[in-house]
Amino acid sequence: MMPSLNDLMSPDMQKIALFLVPTFAAVFALVMNLSRGFSTIGTVVMVLCGLVAVYFAPQFFTLF
């Protein structure tokens, strides 16, 4: 039987990871866009990751 996500990470860590991973991806895309010039793909990735982070932000803030 395959382990579920709850077996691998606690629910609080899942909330933290679901917020921080897309947040860091959006920040990295922003840094790449600023340093190498804005591209369509980079802007789409930045906006998409930012929206995913905003979606998971309320769950993250319930931890504090």
Side-chain angles (χ1 to χ4, degrees):
M1 186 169 121
M2 290 189 77
S4 66
L5 189 57
N6 286 335
D7 296 334
L8 301 174
M9 293 171 64
S10 68
D12 289 342
M13 286 300 292
Q14 292 173 25
K15 290 179 184 179
I16 293 170
L18 284 174
F19 175 72
L20 289 181
V21 170
T23 301
F24 286 143
V27 169
F28 293 152
L30 175 65
V31 169
M32 289 298 287
N33 279 336
L34 290 174
S35 65
R36 298 182 178 257
F38 280 86
S39 66
T40 305
I41 301 279
T43 305
V44 168
V45 168
M46 182 177 57
V47 169
L48 186 66
C49 290
L51 290 174
V52 170
V54 167
Y55 178 77
F56 287 115
Q59 293 177 356
F60 176 72
F61 291 131
T62 60
L63 297 174
F64 300 105

